[in-house]
Amino acid sequence: VAAHLEPEILMIDEVLSVGDLRFQKKSLGKMNQVAEEGRTVLFVSHQMAAVSNLCQRCLWLDRGTLRLDGPTDEVIPAYVRSGSSFEGSRRFADEPLATTDALEIVALRLTDADGEIAGSFDVREPFRIEIDYRVRQPMTHCRIGIFVKTLDGTILFDSYDSDDSRYMGSRVPGEFTSRCAVQGDFLRPGGYSLTVNADVTGVLRLTRLENCLGFEIYDGGAVGNEIGGRRRGVILPRLDWEVSAGALAPVDGGSER
């Protein structure tokens, strides 16, 4: 309704947090249209990918204070890094968001192939993500997981310990560590952040620690370097290829002509 009134300045606060995918797509389209008509759009959001796509200028506000004002591609990485460290581990003692009546996130760490804590990894090498936590109350279908994001806030993927059917059952009170492995030759060189999420599937969010630990993938021999080119895409997988000599296979099962 506000957009169709044709105001000079359109202020939009977290509009993408509501509605279905069709509504969100329609909203984004309308915002672009308003901007192309020469009007100003003030877009407030925690969805960094949307901010990156829509806005040329970005203001980072922290508890009512302006922390940074500048080009979006400079402000977003600074904002994401502010909640991260590249030390490879973090403990959450006395952090209120890490503790609920049912569960407490104790620590998060990254380890290399030798089991050593690290914050930087060769693009070719695998690494592990480990989450220490305490279950304080019996729960059914509790799961612990992570979001891996780029520094502009784009979620590359999320993963949960309940993806393994062995851990889909109830959780009893006690201390636990959930671990997952990320293969080498998968992420592009660059900086990333981890968000920890714990919930009771489809029922209750227990805690979510946004951008609580950062890490870096460095280019120790990324795929494509041998020909001096830079590969495109969000990820950088080294896929298994096979080349064989001989006649071409028939198309659609038919005979060659």
Side-chain angles (χ1 to χ4, degrees), residues 110-147:
L110 301 166
T111 61
D112 60 20
D114 297 322
E116 298 294 328
I117 293 176
S120 297
F121 304 94
D122 188 311
V123 66
R124 300 165 297 179
E125 299 298 323
F127 63 93
R128 297 177 73 89
I129 301 168
E130 302 183 352
I131 307 167
D132 296 338
Y133 56 98
R134 295 188 183 96
V135 175
R136 296 183 166 191
Q137 298 176 1
M139 289 181 287
T140 302
H141 301 303
C142 168
R143 62 178 186 171
I144 308 292
I146 49 93
F147 291 74

Side-chain angles (χ1 to χ4, degrees), residues 28-99:
L28 290 171
K30 189 61 180 179
M31 282 186 275
N32 278 320
Q33 178 187 334
V34 169
E36 289 170 358
E37 292 172 355
R39 293 184 276 158
T40 299
V41 178
L42 180 57
F43 179 61
V44 182
S45 179
H46 289 91
Q47 297 188 25
M48 295 299 101
V51 173
S52 179
N53 290 330
L54 287 172
C55 306
Q56 295 79 42
R57 178 186 172 194
C58 196
L59 289 83
W60 169 15
L61 299 178
D62 184 7
R63 297 178 177 85
T65 301
L66 180 62
R67 289 279 298 272
L68 196 59
D69 177 359
T72 300
D73 59 0
E74 295 179 7
V75 175
I76 287 179
Y79 166 71
V80 174
R81 285 193 182 99
S82 70
S84 303
S85 70
F86 287 85
E87 298 176 355
S89 66
R90 181 173 173 182
R91 297 191 67 83
F92 299 99
D94 302 322
E95 295 193 28
L97 290 179
T99 303

Side-chain angles (χ1 to χ4, degrees), residues 162-238:
S162 60
D163 294 346
D164 188 320
S165 60
R166 293 176 296 173
Y167 310 119
M168 291 179 63
S170 60
R171 302 291 173 98
V172 297
E175 298 184 349
F176 300 88
T177 299
S178 291
R179 301 179 179 88
C180 69
V182 179
Q183 67 192 54
D185 287 319
F186 178 59
L187 295 175
R188 299 184 65 87
Y192 298 88
S193 71
L194 286 173
T195 290
V196 175
N197 189 68
D199 60 31
V200 177
T201 311
V203 177
L204 174 68
R205 175 186 289 180
L206 297 170
T207 186
R208 182 159 171 162
L209 304 173
E210 292 278 359
N211 305 319
C212 56
L213 186 66
F215 66 95
E216 195 170 28
I217 301 294
Y218 64 87
D219 189 350
V223 61
N225 281 358
E226 68 278 1
I227 57 175
R230 184 177 180 183
R231 299 293 177 87
R232 301 181 181 184
V234 176
I235 58 175
L236 192 66
R238 187 184 297 271

